[in-house]
Amino acid sequence: MHKKLLIPGPTEVGSAILHEQTHPMIGHRSREFSEFYAGVTGKLAKLFELPAEYQPTTTTSSGTLWFDIVGRSIVKQRALCCVNGAFSQRFAEIVRSCGKQADFIEVEWGKVVKPEMVAEKLETGGYDTVTMCHNESSTGARSPVAEVGRLLKKDYPDTIFAVDSVSSMAGDWTLPHEMGVDVLFASTQKCFALPPGLAVAFANNRALERAKGILNRGGYTDILEIFEFEKKHQTPFTPNISLLYALDKRLDFMLAETYPHIYRRHKDMAEITQKWAEKHFAMFPEKGYESITVSCIKNTLGFNVKDLVQKLGERGFEIGNGYGKLAEKTFRIGHMGEWTTAGIKEVLNAVDEIWGLAK
Amino acid sequence: MHKKLLIPGPTEVGSAILHEQTHPMIGHRSREFSEFYAGVTGKLAKLFELPAEYQPTTTTSSGTLWFDIVGRSIVKQRALCCVNGAFSQRFAEIVRSCGKQADFIEVEWGKVVKPEMVAEKLETGGYDTVTMCHNESSTGARSPVAEVGRLLKKDYPDTIFAVDSVSSMAGDWTLPHEMGVDVLFASTQKCFALPPGLAVAFANNRALERAKGILNRGGYTDILEIFEFEKKHQTPFTPNISLLYALDKRLDFMLAETYPHIYRRHKDMAEITQKWAEKHFAMFPEKGYESITVSCIKNTLGFNVKDLVQKLGERGFEIGNGYGKLAEKTFRIGHMGEWTTAGIKEVLNAVDEIWGLAK
């Protein structure tokens, strides 16, 4: 039996979108492709209300490639990396593995790095880039990206702000100019509700200016080459054409639903889940910083999460155990993409029944 | 009207394979995924007769990512790069853009770099890696990889041989151990006849040993992390699950056809095309080094290639003009993947008719 996915990703993909992947192939250097791809990036620009100084792109990769792109093409010498979970840590470690200095501001899992903590470190000087993870899928914590963005714009205008929006973009409210970010990227298997294999990213002119001064950007990780090809509505390397068809259709759906409504739907799903969690358990993340796409719930009653995952699986739903060291101590419900409040209520009811929780 | 693709890639993909992309999503950290993925890599190992010292993998990327992987994870300090066309040159340039020294052995487009030329350069010392492109899609030239491989094994056992097999793997005869290569990689949109978005690669223990001593390999470009995750039949980053389903089905088809038969079929298609070309025109590549997957034909009669491409398009076929500076001077027919001799004859007949060539 197929289990409908409520893990923090990949999320469930409906058959209409899956079938968009079956279009016959076309050449990626053809005029037909360029016209099609210009439509896709045009829809991205529209949905995310991109001002002229921001440009959209896609890469044939997971979102993680962008950790490397930031490490190779954006960080000059020294980055300040906000670390509050497994994915923000990986971002920081990859920047370091690209041969750049990466200083961590590390807080306990579940907490978020606050603007004042960033300000304090930046005052010591010498940082050319700040990295942050908007939505820490490992802990369900939502970082105050816009507040940090405002701080940087005001006091550190030469610092580039590169943000992982992998599990928040297009579910949470992620307009790059409102967030004050220079580079923002995501994977398609989260709130875009597509199969994995494609990343969506935005960069502004400041980020591209910065890249021009950096040596050894590589090929696949060269942000300048990516946006150079965007000018002719192509990609430097053969793209995943099937997934671009699926993305195109998804963007049609999203533009029809409208972003404010998509955001509201995700917020509603999160609020239902949080309310349920607070009644029986507790939310894992710091109060006020709960993700609206992935709820991470503290297993305060000490139930057997592995058993729950198994039993929910028998009912056709797949949720996530806690990540790494948080396994059994927490469990995670990803409510993103095609999911609605009705679906989430059904899943929570199933948990009530399995664990015998009073309604 | 859909045009059946005979460009040098992407190639035509039949609907059975396209539909394999519509399986519902599963979690990439689930046991179900690992069992499935172990099956895929097991089939790759079987088809390519991998001895124990070689391991197969896939990456969610175009084949080009492997230029970066070689540049970041394999080249220590100085590579000798065989350059005989646009793609081998790009390989060399990307190695250089990874901050490593890349010396070119450059020959005229259409020619190939011979083992004695490699030997002469290697004698000067100091090279830790040799790069080569097995099948130069821009010129239709097929490099003598196995001969160079033998030379390296015999006289330069510490040198790693990294070969781009993007448009040859699984059509031409590309068993990595027979070729004497340490790293071999390809894209799925060529002879595997899948949509683009996935790369297939093989590396041996020598290559992985080499990588251990190299700093700043990055994340997405770290060959050691890729093969570390292979041990548990996973990928370090969320993979393109849809394309892995398609690859799995394709490998079933290929194992049923058997590799010797697949190779014979590609050779037959090349021979028919070459014979036709020699009758009316001439082959572009150096005699004896013609590709068996992409025929590059010299336009000796000075016909209008752009017009031919257009008129063939009206008949439902898409072939390629010459690459870059070879446009109009040559034209290219990609005969790979699902194509058969009957299909190729049909296309050549159509060219006969359009250009009024006597049979």
Side-chain angles (χ1 to χ4, degrees):
Chain A
M1 183 184 58
H2 170 61
K3 289 175 272 187
K4 286 194 180 166
L5 300 186
L6 297 109
I7 52 178
T11 185
E12 192 64 18
V13 184
S15 61
I17 290 291
L18 288 171
H19 275 87
E20 285 298 315
Q21 296 180 98
T22 63
H23 285 273
M25 281 302 106
I26 57 171
H28 61 294
R29 298 291 179 227
S30 66
R31 201 174 64 183
E32 187 187 356
F33 176 81
S34 293
E35 285 170 5
F36 159 71
Y37 186 56
V40 174
T41 51
K43 288 170 194 176
L44 283 172
K46 193 172 170 190
L47 187 69
F48 292 92
E49 300 175 16
L50 297 189
E53 71 265 28
Y54 283 86
Q55 291 160 63
T57 192
T58 65
T59 54
T60 292
S61 66
S62 85
T64 321
L65 173 69
W66 283 82
F67 293 170
D68 289 76
I69 291 176
V70 170
R72 299 296 184 191
S73 287
I74 296 294
V75 180
K76 251 194 304 197
Q77 290 184 308
R78 195 164 166 228
L80 181 61
C81 300
C82 305
V83 174
N84 65 329
F87 295 96
S88 47
Q89 183 172 336
R90 193 170 211 186
F91 193 174
E93 282 167 354
I94 286 182
V95 167
R96 197 174 271 173
S97 76
C98 290
K100 310 294 170 76
Q101 195 181 326
D103 292 358
F104 290 25
I105 312 187
E106 220 169 341
V107 294
E108 211 181 313
W109 281 35
K111 304 248 182 284
V112 298
V113 175
K114 307 279 167 58
E116 53 272 23
M117 299 165 75
V118 176
E120 196 186 313
K121 285 290 272 184
L122 286 177
E123 268 171 35
T124 65
Y127 293 106
D128 57 70
T129 306
V130 172
T131 72
M132 193 168 230
C133 186
H134 186 211
N135 199 68
E136 230 326 326
S137 311
S138 63
T139 67
R142 181 178 185 261
S143 289
V145 168
E147 287 83 340
V148 174
R150 267 195 295 277
L151 162 79
L152 291 173
K153 284 276 162 303
K154 191 171 145 278
D155 296 333
Y156 301 94
D158 295 334
T159 306
I160 297 287
F161 191 25
V163 173
D164 168 335
S165 180
V166 166
S167 61
S168 64
M169 185 185 287
D172 202 337
W173 188 250
T174 59
L175 305 192
H177 68 286
E178 285 190 8
M179 298 169 93
V181 300
D182 303 297
V183 180
L184 189 75
F185 52 89
S187 295
T188 52
Q189 76 276 14
K190 311 282 184 170
C191 302
F192 285 104
L194 301 172
L198 208 59
V200 170
F202 309 115
N204 63 14
N205 295 337
R206 296 178 64 229
L208 300 184
E209 268 312 307
R210 158 67 66 83
K212 285 180 189 164
I214 296 175
L215 289 174
N216 302 329
R217 296 186 302 272
Y220 218 75
T221 55
D222 182 2
I223 198 170
L224 290 181
E225 190 160 46
I226 291 168
F227 283 100
E228 195 55 37
F229 274 77
E230 281 293 340
K231 288 181 190 162
K232 44 185 175 175
H233 305 300
Q234 290 191 4
T235 58
F237 313 112
T238 319
N240 186 317
I241 297 168
S242 301
L243 271 175
L244 286 174
Y245 280 122
L247 175 60
D248 188 51
K249 178 62 82 180
R250 172 63 72 203
L251 289 169
D252 286 342
F253 290 168
M254 295 180 99
L255 286 165
E257 184 178 0
T258 78
Y259 204 161
H261 189 272
I262 292 167
Y263 171 62
R264 184 69 249 171
R265 181 165 55 80
H266 280 79
K267 214 159 167 6
D268 288 346
M269 291 192 288
E271 282 168 7
I272 287 168
T273 313
Q274 287 164 21
K275 211 174 142 190
W276 174 88
E278 296 293 357
K279 185 175 166 191
H280 302 294
F281 305 95
M283 290 300 289
F284 181 73
E286 189 173 354
K287 187 83 192 156
Y289 296 94
E290 299 88 353
S291 162
I292 73 157
T293 58
V294 178
S295 287
C296 183
I297 299 157
K298 220 186 265 181
N299 179 15
T300 48
L301 299 176
F303 283 139
N304 185 327
V305 174
K306 200 176 164 196
D307 181 67
L308 172 71
V309 170
Q310 161 84 21
K311 291 205 168 110
L312 271 177
E314 288 161 13
R315 293 172 184 234
F317 299 116
E318 187 170 347
I319 67 162
N321 205 325
Y323 187 95
K325 64 186 180 188
L326 293 181
E328 294 299 327
K329 295 193 182 93
T330 65
F331 57 99
R332 292 173 301 159
I333 300 177
H335 28 69
M336 55 174 80
E338 298 189 353
W339 284 97
T340 61
T341 50
I344 298 305
K345 283 177 190 165
E346 200 187 335
V347 175
L348 297 177
N349 281 338
V351 180
D352 283 340
E353 284 177 26
I354 292 167
W355 273 349
L357 300 168
K359 292 233 176 146
Chain B
M1 183 183 62
H2 172 62
K3 289 175 272 187
K4 286 193 180 169
L5 300 185
L6 296 111
I7 51 178
T11 186
E12 192 63 18
V13 184
S15 61
I17 290 291
L18 288 172
H19 275 86
E20 286 298 317
Q21 295 180 98
T22 64
H23 286 273
M25 282 302 105
I26 56 171
H28 62 295
R29 298 290 179 229
S30 66
R31 200 173 66 185
E32 187 186 354
F33 176 81
S34 292
E35 284 170 6
F36 160 70
Y37 187 56
V40 174
T41 50
K43 288 171 195 177
L44 283 171
K46 193 172 172 192
L47 187 69
F48 292 92
E49 300 175 17
L50 298 188
E53 72 265 27
Y54 283 86
Q55 289 160 65
T57 191
T58 66
T59 53
T60 292
S61 67
S62 85
T64 322
L65 174 69
W66 283 81
F67 293 170
D68 288 77
I69 291 176
V70 170
R72 299 295 184 190
S73 287
I74 296 294
V75 180
K76 249 195 303 199
Q77 291 185 306
R78 196 164 165 228
L80 182 60
C81 300
C82 305
V83 175
N84 65 330
F87 295 95
S88 47
Q89 183 173 333
R90 194 171 209 185
F91 193 175
E93 283 167 354
I94 286 182
V95 168
R96 197 174 272 174
S97 76
C98 290
K100 309 293 170 76
Q101 194 181 327
D103 292 357
F104 289 25
I105 312 186
E106 218 167 342
V107 295
E108 212 181 313
W109 282 33
K111 305 247 182 287
V112 299
V113 174
K114 307 279 166 58
E116 51 274 23
M117 299 164 74
V118 176
E120 197 186 311
K121 286 289 272 184
L122 286 177
E123 269 171 34
T124 65
Y127 293 105
D128 56 71
T129 306
V130 172
T131 73
M132 194 168 229
C133 184
H134 186 211
N135 198 69
E136 231 325 327
S137 310
S138 63
T139 68
R142 181 177 186 264
S143 290
V145 167
E147 289 82 340
V148 175
R150 268 195 294 278
L151 162 79
L152 290 173
K153 284 274 161 305
K154 190 171 145 278
D155 296 334
Y156 303 92
D158 295 333
T159 306
I160 297 288
F161 192 24
V163 173
D164 168 336
S165 180
V166 166
S167 60
S168 64
M169 186 186 286
D172 202 338
W173 189 249
T174 59
L175 305 191
H177 68 285
E178 285 190 8
M179 297 169 93
V181 301
D182 302 298
V183 181
L184 189 75
F185 52 89
S187 296
T188 50
Q189 77 276 14
K190 311 282 184 175
C191 303
F192 285 105
L194 302 173
L198 209 59
V200 170
F202 308 115
N204 63 14
N205 295 338
R206 296 179 63 231
L208 300 185
E209 270 310 310
R210 158 67 67 84
K212 285 181 190 162
I214 296 175
L215 289 175
N216 302 329
R217 297 186 302 271
Y220 218 75
T221 55
D222 182 2
I223 199 169
L224 290 182
E225 190 160 44
I226 292 168
F227 283 100
E228 193 57 35
F229 274 77
E230 282 293 340
K231 288 181 190 162
K232 41 184 177 175
H233 306 297
Q234 290 190 5
T235 58
F237 313 111
T238 319
N240 187 317
I241 296 168
S242 301
L243 271 174
L244 286 173
Y245 280 122
L247 175 59
D248 188 52
K249 177 63 77 175
R250 172 63 72 203
L251 289 169
D252 286 342
F253 289 168
M254 295 180 98
L255 287 165
E257 184 178 358
T258 79
Y259 204 162
H261 189 271
I262 293 167
Y263 171 63
R264 184 70 249 170
R265 180 165 55 80
H266 281 79
K267 217 161 167 0
D268 288 345
M269 291 192 287
E271 281 167 8
I272 287 167
T273 313
Q274 287 164 19
K275 210 173 143 194
W276 174 87
E278 297 291 358
K279 186 173 165 194
H280 303 294
F281 305 95
M283 290 300 289
F284 181 74
E286 188 174 353
K287 187 85 195 157
Y289 297 94
E290 298 89 354
S291 162
I292 73 157
T293 57
V294 178
S295 287
C296 183
I297 299 158
K298 219 187 264 183
N299 179 16
T300 49
L301 299 176
F303 283 139
N304 185 328
V305 175
K306 201 176 163 196
D307 180 69
L308 173 70
V309 171
Q310 161 83 20
K311 290 204 169 111
L312 272 176
E314 288 160 14
R315 292 172 183 233
F317 298 117
E318 186 170 347
I319 67 161
N321 205 324
Y323 187 96
K325 65 187 180 188
L326 293 180
E328 294 299 327
K329 296 192 182 99
T330 65
F331 57 99
R332 294 173 299 160
I333 300 176
H335 27 70
M336 54 175 81
E338 297 189 354
W339 284 97
T340 61
T341 50
I344 298 305
K345 282 177 191 164
E346 201 187 334
V347 175
L348 297 176
N349 281 339
V351 181
D352 283 341
E353 284 176 24
I354 291 166
W355 273 348
L357 301 167
K359 294 233 173 146

